[in-house]
């Protein structure tokens, strides 16, 4: 493969990643609605550990590269939930 062909593949993959991240963010908002209604905390340590364990199992030798990415995804999900709850709690 040529460099331009590989870059075109990367562009397609980046668009797919973006689409999936936006879907995940929407799910985080839905979770925030439920947590607000049920008065549940944003942080669910057991769930986070489970997610990261699955990432470790499924990424094998690339774990050290994907771990920071997933840590940021989890942080962003909590930020979205906190923002939603803060915004809707005061209404």
């Amino acid at each position: 493969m040529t460099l331009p062909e590989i870059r075109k593949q990367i562009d397609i993959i980046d668009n797919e990643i973006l689409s999936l991240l936006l879907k995940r963010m929407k799910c985080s908002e839905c979770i925030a609605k439920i947590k607000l209604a049920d008065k549940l905390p944003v942080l669910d340590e057991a769930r986070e550990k489970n997610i990261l364990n699955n990432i470790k199992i499924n990424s094998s030798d690339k774990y050290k590269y994907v771990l920071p990415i997933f840590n940021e995804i989890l942080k962003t999900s909590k930020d979205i939930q906190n923002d939603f709850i803060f915004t809707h709690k005061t209404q």
Side-chain angles (χ1 to χ4, degrees), residues 29-60:
E29 288 178 358
C30 293
I31 288 170
K33 290 177 190 176
I34 294 167
K35 287 182 176 180
L36 178 61
D38 294 347
K39 295 180 174 42
L40 297 171
V42 167
L43 178 60
D44 183 342
E45 289 183 46
R47 172 73 175 142
E48 275 197 29
K49 285 179 184 176
N50 189 14
I51 290 170
L52 293 175
N53 187 51
N54 287 335
I55 298 304
K56 185 174 188 174
I57 291 167
N58 292 319
S59 62
S60 60

Side-chain angles (χ1 to χ4, degrees), residues 16-31:
E16 292 174 7
I17 291 169
L18 177 59
S19 175
L20 292 171
L21 286 170
L22 293 172
K23 285 179 186 177
R24 194 181 199 292
M25 289 177 183
K26 193 139 194 99
C27 288
S28 291
E29 288 178 358
C30 293
I31 288 170

